[in-house]
Every structure is written in C-alpha cells, then in structure tokens.
Amino acid sequence: MAAAVHAQPGSGARFDWGLTGAAELGRVCAVLVVVDVLSFTTAVDVAVGRGMRVHPFPWGEQAADYARRVGAVAAVGRRQLTPDHPWTLSPAALTTAPVVADLVLPSPNGSAISAAASATGLPVVAACLRNAPAVGRWLTHHGYGSTDAPIGVIASGERWPDGSLRPSVEDQLGAASVLDALSGVPGRLSVEAAMALAALASTPDVPAAVRGSVSGRELIEGGFAEDVEVATRVGVSDVVPVLRQNVFSAA
C-alpha cells in the first residue's frame, strides 16, 4: 500500500529526489527526466548541443576503463583540466573543448542516477535551466503526461559528507522549470510536483537564486563562476538529450 502511494498514482507528471526517488518513479513512469543543474545535465546539454554523444557513468576511477572499452574520451574533475585533456564536468570547459564523438561524463549525482535509470529500459531525458522549455515541449509532443504514460521528474540533489542526499535549490528550480512546461498535461501534476513548481513562482530571479545558493556559492568561491553563469542561461537551448542504450544523444 505504502509503495503504491509513494509512486504518486493518478497523476501525469510526478516529482521526487535522488537515486531512490528515481528508482521509485522508474517502476511506474513511462519516461524519467533527470535534473542536475550544477553541473551534469547542463554539461550534457552543452556537449550534446555540440554534436557529442554522452555516456553517463557513476563517479569513480573506473570511468577511464569504461571509456577505453567503448572507444570514448573520459571527462575528469574540474580541477584536473589540462591543455592535453580539456574535457571535464565543467559546462564552461565543454563549450570550448574539442568535439569528440563519444564522451564519458561521470558524476556522483545526475550521472549516477541516469546510468541506473538506463537499466530500466525507460527513455531518460537530461534537463536543466537552459533546456527546460524544450524538454517540456518534446515530452508533450510525444504523448507523455497522461495517467497511462506519466512523467517522472527527478531533482538529483547534492551529497552531504556522509553520502546522504542534500536537496538543492538549483535542482528544485530546474525541476520546477520542467514542471512549469508540463503544467497543462492531461494527467495533471501530482501534489509533490505542484509543490515543487510553487518554488518557481516565488523566485523572481532564478539565476540570482542559483548564484546565491550553497552549491552556486561553492562553485563561485572555488573559481568556477563561469560554470554557474553557463548553467543559469534560462531557456537558451532547444537541445533535448535522450538516453537510450546508455548514451545521451539529441532527440
């Protein structure tokens, strides 16, 4: 009984947090939308928009081995960027890095969630503030959003030092931007989705909110203000990255 209730039945667009929320909605939804604004899904939007195919992978040293097996380049952490290896999780770096056919993009949150969701066989869409309206249009055009074909929107969140989920401002606002584009779906929003959407209505300046959030300030103070700037260009992208067979490419 409780498990069925947790899946938010009877609604066309649903909302949850993190890996566990994705697993729960993945059991019952027809498509999942993963939101990780700082920075995985923003990086995916940039890379796919430049013609690259992106392979999600959980954070760890095995990403390089996986990249070699699939004939891809493995992105590294922001601080590991070198002139010889300019591919990192930084969206700003990916705007100028040479285009490669296949890029393995590991991260502890959005990438890990996407990789796990891919195993369900569901289509998975990478959404961020840049492409949220385009993602909403694509989902409704393809008939998602009814109670028979519900959409699960997942805010990835961040991690506390002990590994537990830390809900984040930027991912709630990113998810809310997707839900705003889905507010007219025939199955309507679940209560959880409607409450997530309410955050957008009370945020008159989304870029400023992201810049002032814990995650935004952490990046800015760490020398990566350009990543925050790239991530907060609201609605500038028409790219809809869809994950099929564990690879994100343009829909």
Side-chain angles (χ1 to χ4, degrees), residues 45-245:
D45 173 76
V46 170
V48 170
R50 298 187 67 210
M52 295 184 249
R53 290 164 23 109
V54 175
H55 301 243
F57 198 83
W59 190 251
E61 295 179 359
Q62 297 83 3
D65 292 335
Y66 175 76
R68 282 191 289 270
R69 290 200 304 272
V70 300
V73 171
V76 295
R78 286 180 175 87
R79 297 188 185 280
Q80 296 172 285
L81 181 146
T82 67
D84 292 333
H85 199 101
W87 302 277
T88 79
L89 188 59
S90 160
L94 290 177
T95 62
T96 58
V99 172
V100 294
D102 288 87
L103 181 69
V104 174
L105 194 60
S107 88
N109 300 305
S111 192
I113 292 168
S114 299
S118 178
T120 66
L122 293 178
V124 179
V125 181
C128 57
L129 290 169
R130 296 166 58 91
N131 71 348
V135 167
R137 290 192 298 270
W138 184 87
L139 290 166
T140 54
H141 176 74
H142 284 79
Y144 296 113
S146 67
T147 54
D148 293 328
I151 302 161
V153 179
I154 306 297
S156 297
E158 299 291 343
R159 297 279 178 181
W160 289 109
D162 66 0
S164 60
L165 173 71
R166 175 173 68 80
S168 59
V169 167
E170 70 278 6
D171 289 346
Q172 180 160 3
L173 290 172
S177 296
V178 176
L179 291 165
D180 185 45
L182 298 174
S183 57
V185 295
R188 301 185 180 181
L189 305 186
S190 69
V191 171
E192 288 74 13
M195 293 304 295
L197 175 57
L200 192 62
S202 61
T203 308
D205 189 336
V206 168
V210 174
R211 288 193 298 270
S213 70
V214 169
S215 302
R217 290 166 61 191
E218 183 176 35
L219 281 177
I220 292 167
E221 292 171 11
F224 297 100
E226 193 176 355
D227 280 345
V228 180
E229 196 277 326
V230 171
T232 53
R233 295 174 186 168
V234 178
V236 299
S237 173
D238 289 326
V239 176
V240 180
V242 180
L243 181 68
R244 294 189 176 94
Q245 297 182 329

